[in-house]
Structure formats: C-alpha cells, structure tokens
Amino acid sequence: MKQSIMGDNKPTLFSPYKMGNLNLCHRVVLAPMTRCRAVNSIPNEALVEYYRQRTTAGGFLITEGTMISPTAAGFPHVPGIFTREQIEGWKKVVDAVHKQGGLIFCQLWHVGRASHQVYQPDGDAPISSTNKPISNKWKILMPDATYGRYPEPRPLATHEIPQVVEDYRLAAINAIQAGFDGIEIHGAHGYLLDQFMKDGINDRTDEYGGSLDNRCKFLLQVVRAVAAAIGADRVGVRISPAIDHLDAMDYDPRSLGLAVIERLNKLQFELGSKLSYLHVTQPRYTAYGQTEAGSHGSEEEIAQLMRSWRGAYVGTFICSGGYTRELGLEAVAQGDADLVAYGRLFISNPDLVLRLKLNAPLNRYVRATFYTHHPVVGYTDYPSLHKVNSRL
C-alpha cells in the first residue's frame, strides 16, 4: 500500500511527505554511515557539527550505527546509546538537528560476528548465530588503523537471546530519552540480526534456525519489544535480503525479503499501528559501496526484486544504495520508493538536498578519510555550495 499523494502530479524527491506523525518537506534522507569520530564511543562536538551541517527544515536524518551494548562494536570510535554519558552526548546532536527543523532517528546496531576480541569486553569472542567466521575476503578495521582478520565467533545460546532483545529495547528507550524522533533497527549488511536471517550463515538447529519462520524470529522479537517500549510509529526497520556484504548470503533473497515483510505487516495489524518505515538496501550497495565501479546482477532483475518487496510492504518504503540524483528522482516518480536515502554523496556534500534540487555540481568524496578519527578533516570540512560560490 503506497502513501496517497496530494494532487494528480507525480511526486519528486522534493515533494512533501507524511511519514506517520512526521511531516517531511522533501524525500532526501541522510543514510546511516559509520564515520568513527565518536572518541571513546561518546558523541562529541564533531558529531554535533556533522549532523547540523546535513540538516534541512523538514529533512529526515538517520544516525550512524549506534551500539546497543558493550558487545556491539566492530569499528573504533563508534557511538553507543547504553550509558548516561552517551545519552547526554546524543542530546546535543538531536538538539542541533531539531533547532534547524530537522527530524532524526537513531540506528540501533549490533555487529555480531563482524567484530574482534579487541572490541569485546574481557577480550571474549564476538557473538553470532554461528561459529563460522567471516572469510578472509573481508578485513576488519582495527583500533590502530591496520586491518585484521575476523575471528571465530561464539554462537549465542538459545537462552541468551532474550537478553540481546532486552538490550535493543533499553537502547530504544535511551534514544527517546536523548530526544530522538525514533529509531531504526539495523537488520542488514551482515550484522547480528542479518546473521540470523541469512541461510548462508545461520546453521542453527534450535528455534532460531532452519525454516524462514525461525530465521526471522530474532528480528521480529526485537521489533515487537522495541515497538512496545516506544511505540510502533517511532520504529523503522532496515533489511538487505539480496546483499552478500560480510558473507551474508541467502540462497533465496526474494523469499527472505517477502517473509520478513509478511511478518512485519502482520505485526503492524496486531499492534493496530504502522511502523515508521521499512528501509531496504539496493543490491548494488556491495558492488558500488566498496569500490568506485562494479555491477551486481541485471539492473532489471534488481528493479523487479525491489518492486516485489515495495509492493508487498504496507507502509513507508525507503530505498538506499548507490542512488544518483537521476535514480532517486526515478524511484520516487515511478512509485518504487517513498523516500531515498543517500550516503557517500552526503559525506562530501553537506548541502546535498540543495545541490540535488538545483542539479548543481557535487564535491568529490575522499574515501581515505571515511573512517579516520580527525574531528574535521574529511568530516566537517567539505564546502557548501554557498562557500564554493563565494570563492568564485
């Protein structure tokens, strides 16, 4: 079911949109992106400036992945939302966004096996659905800026899973205390919840493994617990059924996506309230996300896959993953998405909304500074269009 649009004209990226109780002035979304600037996992003034720069009146932002617990980290200097100091740090970010008329959700994140003992309390093994490590095709960024191998994870015991669900619930409550307008549950990109959903990873024989219903169970328990705690209309969910990032393969991604959507639709009906949105990453994310060029299957096949999920979901549908201005305009105009989230283009263009609207030139991003820790360089020093023009 698609949101109704006022008037007969097709919507554009710059048309207003009502997402539950939130009124958006346009449909360009800041996608969640790890940036490694939260020193000691506490949001600081650098984050305040970064999100402030990318805020527009009536614009929607989703934060970088934010740790729900001490075991959730897989990168250096990523923020958390499980201590009082972290909550207070996020309050400053949220206040800056709200002051400029923006809306912001906190992405709740647990990386699962995509971690290393160096990031774990007491040097323990990372947790997952399995004891299979991520292959040597992938490398983990270490605290000293070198890259290492992913270690063998420890499969969560069945009786341990309710505690992780509780960690998500408490993190959501903390996010609302920090002033966030809602939260996004990160169930994508090969992280913990995805490690349970994908049959290329999940080799469990308990109630969380085997059938599609069992593999979706953990995610649905998290969504239900968080929705009960803060309200369904404050909860977004991100999935990536067709992406093999960090070896997150599924042999039937279409069916997996439809199974998740069927269960989310049913949950919405039971709760008598829609979730805020479903956020699905386009399969080209892996091809383009790691390099500057590449391909990942037929464009038409990918489009049909995304449309099958879009058509099945009852509610707001956000797409992301390598979208250009043209692809974003097309996705909204054709009804393939309600909102389009942009990542790397937003890194180097803090005023991306204005640039897209004017079809103005874009700053080139510098990949080498994506995950460095400098509070300014490669983070808040990309010029706005106004500053560029003032130099001419």
Side-chain angles (χ1 to χ4, degrees):
M1 173 186 271
K2 301 177 183 178
Q3 295 282 112
S4 60
I5 307 296
M6 293 181 67
D8 297 326
N9 296 331
K10 289 184 177 180
T12 76
L13 271 176
F14 315 109
S15 302
Y17 184 79
K18 186 170 177 60
M19 184 172 74
N21 295 321
L22 304 178
N23 294 307
L24 308 183
C25 292
H26 59 80
R27 298 161 185 248
V28 179
V29 178
L30 173 67
M33 291 175 289
T34 296
R35 300 304 315 277
C36 299
R37 262 68 173 197
V39 178
N40 298 322
S41 300
I42 299 168
N44 51 37
E45 289 304 316
L47 273 75
V48 173
E49 178 63 10
Y50 175 79
Y51 286 102
R52 184 199 66 77
Q53 287 180 351
R54 287 153 184 80
T55 301
T56 54
F60 182 49
L61 297 79
I62 309 170
T63 72
E64 59 213 274
T66 302
M67 298 183 296
I68 63 166
S69 71
T71 67
F75 286 82
H77 299 304
V78 291
I81 190 74
F82 56 88
T83 72
R84 177 51 51 187
E85 198 170 4
Q86 290 164 349
I87 295 169
E88 293 303 315
W90 277 121
K91 281 183 179 179
K92 297 175 183 178
V93 174
V94 173
D95 287 348
V97 171
H98 286 166
K99 188 175 181 180
Q100 296 194 187
L103 300 158
I104 184 167
F105 274 31
C106 181
Q107 189 191 63
L108 303 186
W109 188 39
H110 196 302
V111 303
R113 70 174 185 169
S115 185
H116 189 279
Q117 290 93 334
V118 72
Y119 294 120
Q120 295 299 308
D122 303 318
D124 292 338
I127 60 174
S128 183
S129 63
T130 181
N131 65 355
K132 296 182 294 186
I134 296 171
S135 72
N136 292 335
K137 169 185 174 184
W138 306 92
K139 302 297 180 185
I140 184 169
L141 179 62
M142 303 293 278
D144 63 1
T146 62
Y147 285 85
R149 293 184 176 184
Y150 286 100
E152 181 177 308
R154 177 181 70 82
L156 277 169
T158 306
H159 70 84
E160 293 179 295
I161 292 176
Q163 180 56 55
V164 183
V165 174
E166 176 66 3
D167 290 340
Y168 276 99
R169 190 185 75 85
L170 292 175
I173 292 171
N174 290 343
I176 299 304
Q177 288 181 358
F180 282 103
D181 299 292
I183 63 92
E184 177 178 283
I185 296 167
H186 196 348
H189 301 175
Y191 296 121
L192 182 62
L193 296 173
D194 206 24
Q195 291 161 26
F196 275 76
M197 287 186 281
K198 298 286 179 65
D199 60 10
I201 299 175
N202 188 333
D203 54 3
R204 302 175 73 91
T205 56
D206 65 357
E207 64 195 81
Y208 292 93
S211 68
L212 269 174
D213 196 53
N214 285 359
R215 286 186 278 125
C216 293
K217 186 174 183 177
F218 191 6
L219 172 66
L220 267 293
Q221 288 177 333
V222 170
V223 176
R224 186 181 291 276
V226 169
I230 67 171
D233 62 343
R234 287 178 161 184
V235 179
V237 178
R238 190 178 199 183
I239 60 172
S240 58
I243 287 177
D244 59 4
H245 189 63
L246 299 174
D247 293 341
M249 290 283 296
D250 193 272
Y251 292 97
D252 188 354
R254 182 179 183 276
S255 294
L256 174 59
L258 291 174
V260 172
I261 289 168
E262 177 187 348
R263 286 155 180 79
L264 291 178
N265 286 341
K266 182 180 179 183
L267 178 59
Q268 291 182 133
F269 180 77
E270 291 173 1
L271 295 175
S273 173
K274 286 184 181 178
L275 298 172
S276 189
Y277 60 82
L278 177 66
H279 181 180
V280 181
T281 315
Q282 229 267 10
R284 63 173 164 254
Y285 165 88
T286 296
Y288 297 123
Q290 303 301 312
T291 59
E292 301 305 325
S295 61
H296 194 99
S298 157
E299 280 294 324
E300 183 55 34
E301 288 175 353
I302 290 171
Q304 290 300 326
L305 193 62
M306 292 289 285
R307 285 171 187 150
S308 70
W309 297 328
R310 197 302 195 242
Y313 182 65
V314 180
T316 295
F317 192 89
I318 303 178
C319 63
S320 61
Y323 279 85
T324 61
R325 179 181 188 273
E326 292 71 24
L327 289 173
L329 285 166
E330 182 180 277
V332 172
Q334 293 183 354
D336 292 339
D338 297 303
L339 309 173
V340 180
Y342 288 86
R344 288 166 293 144
L345 296 184
F346 243 130
I347 288 177
S348 55
N349 298 277
D351 56 349
L352 181 65
V353 178
L354 176 62
R355 288 174 185 261
L356 293 179
K357 193 168 187 177
L358 297 177
N359 198 17
L362 301 177
N363 298 323
R364 292 178 63 86
Y365 51 80
V366 180
R367 186 177 292 276
T369 60
F370 280 6
Y371 306 118
T372 53
H373 313 316
H374 198 285
V376 175
V377 177
Y379 193 52
T380 58
D381 61 345
Y382 286 105
S384 66
L385 195 59
H386 170 72
K387 289 181 180 178
V388 171
N389 289 338
S390 68
R391 296 174 186 169
L392 300 178

